[in-house]
């Protein structure tokens, strides 16, 4: 089942370096850069204009790419807010983060965040918008942990559309700079956009967009005015995130600190539409990334195809801050510093340290019996993606009778569910909501939407076997509980949200609010 979307060619390279401590010692404290980490909430590659998209205008992201480096192969290991952000903060794969492998968990006390480490090593640290969330960060000395630094969310403004956050991100960043005492700093700009909900039609009415601007609707959704309007509302919110990024860059320039600030712009997972966010396909985990550092990047305007993992951010920040990882109190990381890419003058492939990424998930939103997750592990290599679904009898987006809770409510979701209910077609429902086979295998060079499962094609059986063997061996070496028959540990970790044990409670007749989905998403119990 899955068709094609024009993506930038995929090339592979780069990997973990075990020389982080030695590198850290060579960074002088006087040359340590500021670090501005900017993360959108649910923005997809390749839907930013730097990647050639015509219906999303992102001049600030494009500026970072033009004056820095544009990456074409950046991946999160787990395409959901909490676990993706936990990997960024710790430099660890989600299956090595205990409770933090799940969405909305209690953050384990044993894992220090890179922001906490920067704070301990002479950096001022703060954030605006969404930091690590959702979940309970825990406490230190009776106070809530500041996994992304001190909160700067006090300043508000009237947003341009309903559901866009009233937090004045750029003004709060300016307040942070005003309080800075001359030390190097780390700031996390976590836009709430383009997370749902959206004001329906805002992209057209307020963003002055037109349905015909969209060159192609992904073939796993119907192509009609409802879906196109929903996509343009998504685009409008991406552009809002980008507009605040532009203001932040201007504030940096006026303060005289732009030259020695490493700016990283990315997203935590793919767009909040059926079949993308919360899944483990190419559009779920493959994310936008650009980095800019005028004082440190030797040659700007480069496009780099090396594979970059979210676990690489923390080691990069540690090296540039002169932090010896082994002495930092942070747990070990399979990530690597990306400074060889930043300091290189090469385009395309800079190094060939590694040629693949591992991805996977455990429990995201609850909505299955006993808060079960939907465990997946996968490997992306040489233009292919292989996925192992460990519990194929479970529903991948959560149970129909509890509203497919791992898929945000939207006009697109409602349209797909109604098409099936009305007997028109179940083609689109099958892609996003139906149960899946144990093995999925896609040629993402030809089929980036992962529409055609090649797992049953004899031509690929040997390659599938080789990729699964490599994935399994690596996961075992990393101590993944799922590889040792202990995967149920992830299902048994408590859920920190108010809807814990949702399925069991709902099926007994309890009325529980689920504001992230529509009431009409719930299927009648058969």
């Amino acid at each position: 089942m899955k068709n094609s979307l024009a993506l930038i060619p995929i090339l592979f390279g780069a990997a973990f370096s075990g020389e982080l401590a030695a590198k850290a010692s060579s960074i002088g404290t006087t040359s340590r850069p500021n670090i501005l980490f900017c993360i959108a909430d649910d923005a997809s590659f390749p839907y930013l204009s730097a990647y050639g998209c015509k219906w999303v205008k992102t001049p600030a992201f494009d500026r970072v790419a033009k004056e820095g480096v544009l990456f074409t192969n950046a991946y999160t290991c787990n395409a959901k807010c909490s676990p993706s952000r936990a990997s960024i903060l710790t430099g660890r794969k989600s299956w090595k983060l205990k409770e933090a492998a799940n969405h909305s968990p209690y953050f384990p006390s044993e894992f220090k965040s890179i922001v906490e480490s920067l704070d301990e090593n002479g950096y001022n640290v703060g954030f605006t918008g969404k930091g690590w969330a959702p979940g309970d960060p825990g406490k230190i000395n009776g106070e809530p942990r500041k996994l992304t630094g001190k909160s700067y969310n006090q300043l508000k403004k009237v947003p341009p559309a309903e559901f866009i956050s009233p937090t004045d991100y750029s003004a709060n960043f300016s307040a942070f700079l005003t309080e800075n005492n001359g030390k190097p700093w780390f700031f996390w700009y976590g836009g709430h956009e383009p997370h749902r909900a959206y004001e329906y039609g805002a992209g057209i009415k307020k963003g002055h967009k037109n349905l015909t601007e969209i060159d192609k609707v992904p073939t796993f959704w119907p192509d009609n005015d409802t879906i196109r309007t929903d996509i343009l509302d998504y685009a409008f919110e991406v552009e809002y995130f980008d507009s605040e990024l532009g203001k932040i860059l201007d504030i940096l320039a006026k303060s005289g600190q732009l030259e020695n600030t490493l700016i990283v712009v990315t997203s935590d997972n793919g767009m909040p539409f059926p079949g993308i966010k919360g899944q483990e396909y190419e559009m779920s985990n493959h994310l936008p990334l650009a980095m800019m550092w005028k004082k440190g990047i030797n040659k700007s305007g480069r496009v780099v195809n090396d594979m970059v993992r979210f676990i690489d951010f923390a080691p990069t920040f540690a090296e540039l801050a002169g932090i010896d990882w082994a002495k930092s109190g942070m747990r070990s990381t399979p990530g690597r510093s990306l400074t060889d890419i930043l300091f290189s003058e090469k385009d395309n492939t800079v190094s060939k340290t590694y040629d693949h990424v591992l991805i996977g998930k455990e429990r995201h939103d609850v909505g299955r019996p006993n808060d079960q997750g939907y465990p997946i592990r996968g490997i992306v290599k040489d233009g292919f993606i292989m996925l192992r679904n460990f519990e194929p009898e479970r529903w991948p987006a959560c149970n129909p009778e509890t509203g497919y809770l791992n898929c945000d409510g939207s006009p697109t979701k409602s349209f797909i569910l109604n098409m099936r209910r009305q007997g028109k077609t179940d083609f689109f429902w099958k892609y996003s909501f139906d149960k899946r086979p144990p093995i999925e295998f896609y040629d993402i060079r030809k089929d980036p939407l992962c529409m055609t499962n090649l797992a049953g094609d004899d031509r690929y059986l040997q390659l599938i076997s080789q990729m699964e063997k490599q994935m399994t061996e690596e996961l075992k070496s990393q101590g993944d509980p799922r590889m040792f028959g202990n995967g149920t540990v992830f299902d048994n970790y408590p859920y920190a949200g108010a809807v814990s044990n949702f399925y069991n409670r709902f099926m007994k007749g309890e009325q529980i609010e689920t504001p992230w989905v529509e009431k009409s998403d719930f299927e009648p119990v058969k």
Side-chain angles (χ1 to χ4, degrees):
M1 266 182 3
K2 295 186 177 186
N3 201 356
S4 181
L5 185 76
L7 299 183
I8 289 176
I10 301 175
L11 300 176
F12 299 91
F16 171 61
S17 167
E19 301 175 354
L20 184 57
K23 288 183 178 181
S25 65
S26 67
I27 303 290
T29 56
T30 57
S31 64
R32 297 190 297 175
N34 307 312
I35 301 169
L36 173 65
F37 185 76
C38 310
I39 182 166
D41 200 358
D42 304 353
S44 272
F45 174 94
Y47 296 146
L48 289 89
S49 48
Y51 293 112
C53 181
K54 302 299 183 184
W55 47 269
V56 184
K57 305 295 192 297
T58 52
F61 180 86
D62 299 357
R63 176 187 175 186
V64 173
K66 183 178 180 181
E67 298 180 23
V69 179
L70 179 66
F71 294 82
T72 67
N73 275 306
Y75 284 82
T76 181
C77 65
N78 192 328
K80 195 76 169 184
C81 302
S82 293
S84 179
R85 292 164 187 254
S87 288
I88 291 169
L89 289 169
T90 63
R92 291 172 70 84
K93 299 288 182 66
S94 61
W95 45 87
K96 288 292 291 176
L97 284 171
K98 295 187 174 180
E99 293 97 324
N102 290 340
H103 189 60
S104 197
Y106 294 90
F107 200 92
S109 60
E110 66 198 86
F111 300 115
K112 181 185 290 187
S113 80
I114 183 61
V115 184
E116 291 173 315
S117 184
L118 288 165
D119 183 39
E120 294 172 353
N121 284 273
Y123 271 67
N124 285 333
V125 296
F127 81 98
T128 190
K130 182 175 179 177
W132 174 82
D136 186 332
K139 294 182 178 181
I140 294 179
N141 298 324
E143 296 294 327
R145 289 180 68 181
K146 296 179 174 62
L147 294 172
T148 52
K150 178 183 175 182
S151 172
Y152 286 81
N153 285 312
Q154 296 85 357
L155 301 177
K156 307 293 183 181
K157 66 178 179 179
V158 178
E162 188 179 8
F163 305 120
I164 287 179
S165 173
T167 299
D168 192 332
Y169 304 122
S170 54
N172 282 298
F173 171 67
S174 183
F176 168 79
L177 285 187
T178 300
E179 291 184 9
N180 195 41
N181 56 8
K183 295 196 299 184
W185 50 261
F186 174 98
F187 193 81
W188 174 296
Y189 160 38
H192 288 281
E193 297 74 32
H195 195 289
R196 291 192 185 271
Y198 303 153
E199 177 185 323
Y200 187 72
I204 295 171
K205 292 179 293 184
K206 299 177 179 180
H208 309 294
K209 295 182 176 296
N210 190 290
L211 297 177
T212 60
E213 291 180 43
I214 301 173
D215 55 341
K216 192 171 186 179
V217 172
T219 48
F220 44 61
W221 306 323
D223 186 351
N224 56 46
D225 288 357
T226 298
I227 276 69
R228 284 177 175 256
T229 299
D230 199 15
I231 294 172
L232 291 181
D233 292 342
Y234 157 84
F236 181 67
E237 293 221 357
V238 172
E239 292 178 353
Y240 182 77
F241 168 85
D242 188 78
S243 70
E244 287 296 297
L245 171 62
K247 293 176 183 177
I248 288 172
L249 295 179
D250 289 342
I251 291 169
L252 263 181
K254 290 177 182 177
S255 73
Q257 299 181 70
L258 184 63
E259 292 287 323
N260 196 36
T261 299
L262 171 66
I263 300 161
V264 180
V265 189
T266 188
S267 175
D268 53 0
N269 47 253
M271 62 200 294
F273 282 71
I276 299 182
K277 178 184 176 181
Q279 303 307 317
E280 297 299 312
Y281 294 121
E282 172 71 354
M283 287 285 286
S284 310
N285 297 69
H286 187 179
L287 296 170
L289 175 64
M291 296 188 188
M292 169 182 167
W293 179 18
K294 289 183 171 292
K295 187 176 179 181
I297 291 177
N298 292 332
K299 180 184 176 185
S300 60
R302 291 180 291 132
V303 177
V304 171
N305 300 311
D306 293 61
M307 296 193 86
V308 171
R309 308 162 298 175
F310 274 27
I311 59 172
D312 298 331
F313 292 144
T316 304
F317 301 157
E319 180 190 337
L320 294 177
I323 297 172
D324 184 336
W325 192 282
K327 298 178 181 179
S328 68
M330 295 188 69
R331 298 291 295 274
S332 61
T333 174
R336 75 177 196 99
S337 173
L338 300 173
T339 53
D340 61 334
I341 295 176
L342 298 180
F343 298 155
S344 174
E345 295 188 357
K346 294 182 180 179
D347 291 284
N348 300 319
T349 302
V350 174
S351 63
K352 297 182 178 180
T353 319
Y354 63 93
D355 62 358
H356 67 283
V357 295
L358 299 183
I359 60 176
K361 61 181 276 192
E362 287 294 336
R363 184 178 67 215
H364 286 174
D365 289 304
V366 293
R368 302 182 191 87
N370 304 314
D371 283 352
Q372 295 170 332
Y374 191 83
I376 301 174
R377 297 292 185 272
I379 180 171
V380 183
K381 181 179 181 180
D382 295 338
F384 295 94
I385 181 171
M386 192 283 299
L387 302 174
R388 162 66 75 176
N389 299 311
F390 286 92
E391 301 288 351
E393 76 285 356
R394 298 179 187 174
W395 293 95
C398 293
N399 281 45
E401 59 269 30
T402 50
Y404 308 100
L405 292 184
N406 199 38
C407 178
D408 295 338
S410 67
T412 299
K413 180 181 179 181
S414 296
F415 199 98
I416 290 171
L417 294 180
N418 286 331
M419 288 186 79
R420 178 172 178 262
R421 291 166 184 162
Q422 295 164 7
K424 294 179 179 179
T425 179
D426 64 359
F427 173 82
F428 304 107
W429 176 86
K430 283 181 177 294
Y431 178 90
S432 294
F433 303 110
D434 200 5
K435 293 181 179 180
R436 298 171 183 162
I439 294 290
E440 296 180 75
F441 187 76
Y442 302 99
D443 183 345
I444 54 178
R445 299 165 301 183
K446 301 176 182 177
D447 179 23
L449 296 183
C450 300
M451 294 291 292
T452 303
N453 185 6
L454 301 172
D457 191 323
D458 291 345
R459 294 174 298 172
Y460 298 101
L461 293 181
Q462 183 176 359
L463 179 57
I464 292 170
S465 178
Q466 292 172 348
M467 289 180 68
E468 183 169 29
K469 180 181 179 182
Q470 180 180 357
M471 178 189 76
T472 301
E473 289 177 350
E474 289 190 26
L475 291 171
K476 284 183 176 179
S477 71
Q478 295 171 13
D480 179 0
R482 182 67 58 183
M483 298 298 105
F484 299 96
N486 192 30
T488 56
V489 66
F490 296 109
D491 288 338
N492 293 328
Y493 287 130
Y495 185 81
V499 297
S500 178
N501 199 30
F502 178 84
Y503 180 93
N504 298 51
R505 293 161 60 191
F506 178 83
M507 297 303 288
K508 290 179 179 178
E510 185 177 347
Q511 298 301 307
I512 309 169
E513 290 296 317
T514 52
W516 68 96
V517 297
E518 302 294 336
K519 291 183 178 179
S520 61
D521 293 348
F522 289 71
E523 302 276 22
V525 178
K526 296 182 180 179

